[in-house]
Amino acid sequence: MLTLQEQLQNAARLVRKAQRIVVLTGAGISTESGIPDFRSPGSIWLRNPPVSYPDFLNKPEARRQYWETRRSLSAQVKAARPNAAHRALVELERHNLLLGIITQNFDGLHHDAGHDSARVVELHGNSREAVCVLCGTRSPMEELQRRVDAGETDPRCTICSGYMKSATVLFGQHIPADVLVRAKELAETCDLFMVVGSSLQVLPAANLPRLALKNGVPLIIVNLAPTPLDDYADVVIREKAGLVLPRLVEML
Ligand code: NAD
Ligand code: ZN
């Protein structure tokens, strides 16, 4: 068993050799900012699985459930600020080592941390915006949440009456093709791939590190729980991202 310091040294050695790092982040990078993830023990999502896109479109009951669970999530996302892990990734960008961040998160915290926004690919959208599922019209989520808080249970688009939802990708909903193409390009052109705070159980995100592995690119995983790719990774650190990433960046 390696000590944390030894694992960090191994990771730092890989980072020092790299020039085009791609980082895939998941809900685990934002737990230290106060937004719970889906798959850690005790998560409300495990007891109460998130509404799928087909259900959202077809079942009024599913839309009611969607808006009920969104209320606490919206408040958590609104209150959240980037933590030490988000800030450490900005440091990587300042060192000119970061090709891009692919995030499964919809909380906008990578943007808030100060990245060049062209380098951040939000696979699952952004929950600060609302969108009409029919005509695609967007509006600030805060406005829509106010309508829901005021008693609307099934908010509709003011232009076409389509159902409104947050501009995030639900289970069973396709990721926009251009977003997925950008993510794959990053995974295929990087020279070091890092996973931070993802259980690697949600497709297609979980396939992105596999694209890098196919090219013989080293893989670092920083995640509290084991992931299906741990056996393929060069370094696996099962510690909090907010502890690991700043120490790693300090070692460069
Ligand atoms: P996940 O919930 O499946 O896995 C999160 C992983 O992070 C877990 O394995 C956990 O052990 C680990 N973790 C938790 N806290 C950590 C910490 N401080 N440091 C290191 N690791 C930590 O998350 P996922 O893989 O991103 O998939 C969940 C889906 O839910 C994604 O599609 C995402 O869109 C969505 N989601 C997003 C947010 C957000 O935007 N912040 C929050 C919840 C869920
Ligand atoms: Zn509309």
Side-chain angles (χ1 to χ4, degrees), residues 15 17 30 32 62 87 95-96 100 102 105 110 149 216-217 226 239:
V15 172
K17 277 197 246 163
S30 295
E32 291 167 78
R87 290 194 296 271
H95 282 77
N96 284 325
I102 308 167
N105 297 343
H110 289 301
D149 291 347
V217 165
E239 289 283 350

Side-chain angles (χ1 to χ4, degrees), residues 60-179:
E61 181 48 39
R63 289 195 295 280
R64 209 173 1 254
Q65 190 194 328
Y66 174 84
W67 286 111
E68 258 173 45
T69 44
R70 275 223 60 86
R71 185 166 308 192
S72 63
L73 191 62
S74 289
Q76 282 158 347
V77 169
K78 199 172 160 209
R81 298 289 170 269
N83 65 51
H86 296 103
R87 290 194 296 271
L89 294 180
V90 175
E91 280 305 306
L92 272 191
E93 183 175 317
R94 295 204 178 117
H95 282 77
N96 284 325
L97 296 174
L98 187 78
L99 189 61
I101 299 224
I102 308 167
T103 187
Q104 300 175 83
N105 297 343
F106 41 68
D107 55 31
L109 291 180
H110 289 301
H111 288 298
D112 290 354
H115 282 286
D116 168 1
S117 60
R119 288 197 192 274
V120 180
V121 179
E122 292 178 315
L123 274 184
H124 297 163
N126 194 305
S127 69
R128 292 173 185 182
E129 273 194 318
V131 68
C132 165
V133 299
L134 214 53
C135 73
T137 296
R138 286 177 178 246
S139 56
M141 188 63 197
E142 254 187 278
E143 258 172 39
L144 188 65
Q145 189 66 50
R146 263 199 299 273
R147 283 169 54 187
V148 174
D149 291 347
E152 265 187 72
T153 50
D154 197 4
R156 303 293 186 98
C157 173
T158 48
I159 296 166
C160 79
S161 288
Y163 304 130
M164 293 296 294
K165 63 185 272 301
S166 92
T168 55
V169 176
L170 294 179
F171 287 99
Q173 184 177 4
H174 288 296
I175 293 173
D178 58 323
V179 173

Side-chain angles (χ1 to χ4, degrees), residues 24 39 104 123-124 169-175 180 198-210 228-229:
L24 170 67
R39 288 178 184 77
Q104 300 175 83
L123 274 184
H124 297 163
V169 176
L170 294 179
F171 287 99
Q173 184 177 4
H174 288 296
I175 293 173
L180 198 53
S198 174
S199 63
L200 295 179
Q201 288 181 37
V202 180
L203 290 173
N207 277 335
L208 295 167
R210 290 186 171 88
L229 287 187

